[in-house]
Amino acid sequence: MREKFTVFCSLLLVATSTIGQTGEESFTRSLNNINQSALKAQLGFLASDQTEGREAGEKGEYLAAAYIASLLQLYGVNPGGDFSRERNSSIDAGSGVRTYFQNFFLIKNAPGDDQIMKVRVTDGKTVRTISFTRNIDFSTESVDQDIEIEAPVVFAGYGFKNEKLTYDDFSKLDLKGKFLLRISGVPGFAKTQLSAAELAASSRETEINAKKMGAAGIIEFDPNSTVTGFQPVKEFQNMSPSEENPAYGRPWPDYSLPGKKSQDNFLKIHISAKSANEIFQGTGFVTEEFIKKSESNNIRSFPDLKDRTIYLKTTVKKETVGVRNVIGMIPGKNPDKIIVLGAHYDHLGKANGFIWNGADDNGSGTVGVMTIAKAIMETGIKPEKTIIIALWTAEEEGLLGSRYFVDNLTYPLKDIILNVNFDMISRYVSESEPKKVTMVYTESFPGFRTITEKNIQKYGIDLIVDFQPSKDPPGGSDHRSFVAKGIPVMRFKPGHREQYHTPADEISTLNWDIMEKIVKISFANIWQLANSEW
């Protein structure tokens, strides 16, 4: 690793010297042209009410995509999307001409009309059936096909397993073909002995363990919940934009990419505390007593539910939704080494009289990528490596735009040597920390930190960077689509503030100085990486 690091840095120094001889003045001029006025001019429209929250597949998002493509064309960036079939506009013109749009479809799934859940209890020749009401007693997480099933149910406590604590709720259970019933969360004693990250990791393992043991699905309940599922909000309850917590007002659908195989239709059901008590009825089990015992790890046994089964019928309504990524290309001298600069331009749309304009999330990242594309073109110098400018749709639906992008390349995947992701780059970590940002990057490339520190000092970019190298760079954003393919990534991230995913994420809340600094250091790093061997 030390040898790789030394070679990396030496090559960067050589590259820097070469750039200095041939185009330092051009680079510096482009860097200085990155300013708050330029950022505001682009973001002012992108995050305005006119784009209606940029929900994937809706009119506002199509308008935003056209705006982005027109600016890329204005900046001189080549189109990198599909070939056109029809003559529609100057940015999508002529049969056989490449456009800025990568078009594809999503499958939109919403619950169908039949949503039925029952518990059947057998006592000799008597069968007692109790029916539950959807969105009061139970709700199901989305699946992509109609399912009807009746299966035994097994209680597994919290469904918690942790090697560090030598604790395993699964050890004596037979889950094959059965529903696993669990309490939400983790046992009380574990909260005092594990970190938040360890607790989260163990919670994620619950579904994995259940699947490995052949469970039919997971039924989960919060002991404090009186109802579960989507609760619609009446229009008169959210009439004024001055409401502190405006509600979305409609259920959030599930989206997926079409494929040749069905999705993993592992059933996940949420039930109310009342429904859980109906399932436990007659066993002598008391949830509150169990929770109390879990605080001292004094759990000795689980109630026997072998005389009862769970019946579930769930149907799905499907429709296709046409969406599009916006793709540009800056050809380099070497077409076989590609750096992808990316950001998602979609957001949550509008509902219930409100617009989720998403100025920070992710108008800021989108404008950051567009501004860097402009800066690269303004140098007038052809970079050594090819640079792809990618503005993705459907990140909010599960990183679907970037996933489609990496799965449908027109060049070998191995040619992509780096993804630099921009997501939410315009808010302070806190008002008392206006210079702080985190930089997440693939730890096998320590030179990413070296060039960042060097460029911050050289160009007087006033940032305090918390460097976070990782073998598996975390975060719920589009760089994860590249991490999944083994591609190195880099990402700057400042604050994650209280306006996140609310209609209050407006331009008036942004901290333009931190955004300008992130765009500048990113441009300096990208320019150096695009013109060096590493």
Side-chain angles (χ1 to χ4, degrees):
M1 177 65 73
R2 183 179 299 275
E3 180 180 355
K4 182 176 181 181
F5 172 72
T6 303
V7 171
F8 185 100
C9 294
S10 299
L11 288 168
L12 287 177
L13 288 173
V14 172
T16 302
S17 175
T18 302
I19 294 170
Q21 295 169 5
T22 61
E24 182 67 22
E25 289 183 3
S26 295
F27 167 78
T28 303
R29 183 176 61 251
S30 291
L31 182 69
N32 291 336
N33 284 342
I34 296 173
N35 55 58
Q36 294 181 28
S37 294
L39 301 176
K40 290 177 181 179
Q42 298 169 88
L43 193 47
F45 176 75
L46 194 63
S48 69
D49 287 352
Q50 280 69 38
T51 57
E52 299 181 343
R54 310 186 304 279
E55 183 178 352
E58 297 297 325
K59 181 182 73 173
E61 197 213 30
Y62 268 70
L63 179 61
Y67 171 72
I68 293 166
S70 67
L71 285 186
L72 292 182
Q73 184 181 35
L74 177 66
Y75 299 156
V77 176
N78 290 353
D82 302 333
F83 285 95
S84 175
R85 295 181 179 180
E86 297 179 3
R87 185 176 297 276
N88 291 326
S89 70
S90 61
I91 58 175
D92 186 6
S95 178
V97 176
R98 191 176 287 280
T99 75
Y100 289 93
F101 302 120
Q102 182 184 41
N103 296 281
F104 59 103
F105 288 96
L106 303 178
I107 304 297
K108 180 179 179 180
N109 296 326
D113 295 331
D114 290 334
Q115 303 293 324
I116 301 169
M117 182 177 179
K118 301 177 182 180
V119 57
R120 303 192 205 276
V121 182
T122 302
D123 183 7
K125 295 182 179 180
T126 303
V127 178
R128 182 168 61 95
T129 301
I130 302 167
S131 297
F132 297 148
T133 302
R134 177 185 171 225
N135 285 332
I136 296 178
D137 300 318
F138 81 98
S139 63
T140 59
E141 294 191 21
S142 181
V143 291
D144 74 341
Q145 61 188 28
D146 298 350
I147 293 177
E148 186 172 10
I149 183 174
E150 184 165 3
V153 58
V154 176
F155 181 60
Y158 288 91
F160 184 76
K161 180 179 180 179
N162 185 272
E163 293 182 4
K164 180 179 177 179
L165 301 180
T166 62
Y167 183 91
D168 187 357
D169 279 335
F170 297 89
S171 60
K172 298 179 181 180
L173 300 180
D174 174 15
L175 296 180
K176 181 85 173 165
K178 302 172 184 177
F179 282 111
L180 182 153
L181 175 62
R182 67 179 290 261
I183 302 172
S184 300
V186 297
F189 78 92
K191 297 177 183 178
T192 64
Q193 300 182 47
L194 297 177
S195 68
E198 289 172 323
L199 288 170
S202 291
S203 294
R204 288 193 294 269
E205 290 291 315
T206 298
E207 183 176 333
I208 295 171
N209 291 326
K211 287 180 178 178
K212 286 180 179 178
M213 296 177 71
I218 292 177
I219 302 172
E220 181 175 319
F221 72 97
D222 178 346
N224 298 313
S225 68
T226 54
V227 296
T228 188
F230 172 71
Q231 307 302 318
V233 177
K234 298 291 186 181
E235 186 175 353
F236 71 84
Q237 292 176 289
N238 253 316
M239 292 178 65
S240 171
S242 65
E243 293 285 343
E244 183 179 357
N245 294 305
Y248 204 66
R250 56 185 168 96
W252 190 251
D254 179 74
Y255 292 83
S256 61
L257 290 167
K260 296 180 180 179
K261 297 181 179 179
S262 295
Q263 291 183 28
D264 175 13
N265 283 307
F266 187 75
L267 290 166
K268 286 173 280 187
I269 306 165
H270 300 270
I271 63 174
S272 66
K274 176 186 174 183
S275 300
N277 287 332
E278 291 286 2
I279 294 173
F280 288 127
Q281 187 174 359
T283 66
F285 178 81
V286 179
T287 303
E288 290 73 19
E289 292 179 1
F290 184 89
I291 293 173
K292 184 67 175 177
K293 290 179 180 179
S294 80
E295 294 176 358
S296 57
N297 195 7
N298 190 29
I299 301 169
R300 295 290 178 263
S301 62
F302 296 149
D304 187 354
L305 304 176
K306 63 183 180 181
D307 60 349
R308 54 207 70 195
T309 61
I310 301 295
Y311 170 84
L312 180 75
K313 181 178 181 180
T314 179
T315 58
V316 182
K317 294 178 180 177
K318 294 186 179 185
E319 63 178 291
T320 57
V321 178
V323 293
R324 54 188 185 175
N325 294 325
V326 185
I327 310 296
M329 176 183 290
I330 302 174
K333 296 175 184 178
N334 186 348
D336 300 327
K337 290 188 176 181
I338 297 171
I339 296 174
V340 177
L341 311 187
H344 76 91
Y345 73 95
D346 68 302
H347 196 50
L348 300 178
K350 61 179 182 176
N352 207 31
F354 296 90
I355 301 176
W356 277 250
N357 278 323
D360 185 42
D361 183 17
N362 185 35
S364 66
T366 301
V367 168
V369 171
M370 293 160 61
T371 301
I372 292 171
K374 178 175 180 285
I376 293 169
M377 298 306 298
E378 284 180 341
T379 66
I381 299 171
K382 189 172 188 176
E384 294 294 324
K385 297 179 178 64
T386 294
I387 299 172
I388 297 295
I389 305 299
L391 291 314
W392 293 299
T393 185
E395 188 266 1
E396 301 289 5
E397 283 71 35
L399 318 183
L400 299 183
S402 56
R403 278 179 50 197
Y404 184 86
F405 173 83
V406 297
D407 287 338
N408 293 273
L409 299 170
T410 57
Y411 40 82
L413 181 68
K414 66 179 179 59
D415 289 354
I416 300 179
I417 59 173
L418 174 65
N419 165 239
V420 185
N421 184 38
F422 296 79
D423 196 352
M424 299 173 62
I425 62 170
S426 61
R427 298 302 306 275
Y428 296 148
V429 171
S430 69
E431 295 303 316
S432 62
E433 298 176 289
K435 301 177 183 179
K436 184 178 179 180
V437 299
T438 59
M439 178 178 148
V440 176
Y441 63 99
T442 305
E443 72 173 15
S444 56
F445 291 85
F448 292 166
R449 173 172 182 165
T450 304
I451 64 168
T452 300
E453 292 175 327
K454 177 182 176 183
N455 286 331
I456 282 175
Q457 182 176 10
K458 181 176 181 180
Y459 299 109
I461 302 171
D462 192 13
L463 285 174
I464 299 172
V465 183
D466 175 15
F467 293 98
Q468 296 183 2
S470 174
K471 291 181 181 178
D472 185 27
S477 188
D478 289 301
H479 61 282
R480 292 296 304 173
S481 296
F482 292 82
V483 172
K485 299 290 186 180
I487 297 169
V489 301
M490 181 193 304
R491 178 194 182 193
F492 285 102
K493 180 74 168 66
H496 197 96
R497 304 296 291 276
E498 58 273 16
Q499 290 81 14
Y500 171 71
H501 277 198
T502 75
D505 183 5
E506 296 276 11
I507 286 176
S508 59
T509 67
L510 303 188
N511 306 118
W512 297 100
D513 56 332
I514 195 72
M515 181 177 176
E516 178 186 359
K517 293 172 186 177
I518 289 174
V519 175
K520 281 186 171 181
I521 187 59
S522 298
F523 172 49
N525 286 353
I526 290 160
W527 186 249
Q528 193 163 344
L529 291 167
N531 290 285
S532 61
E533 291 298 326
W534 46 281

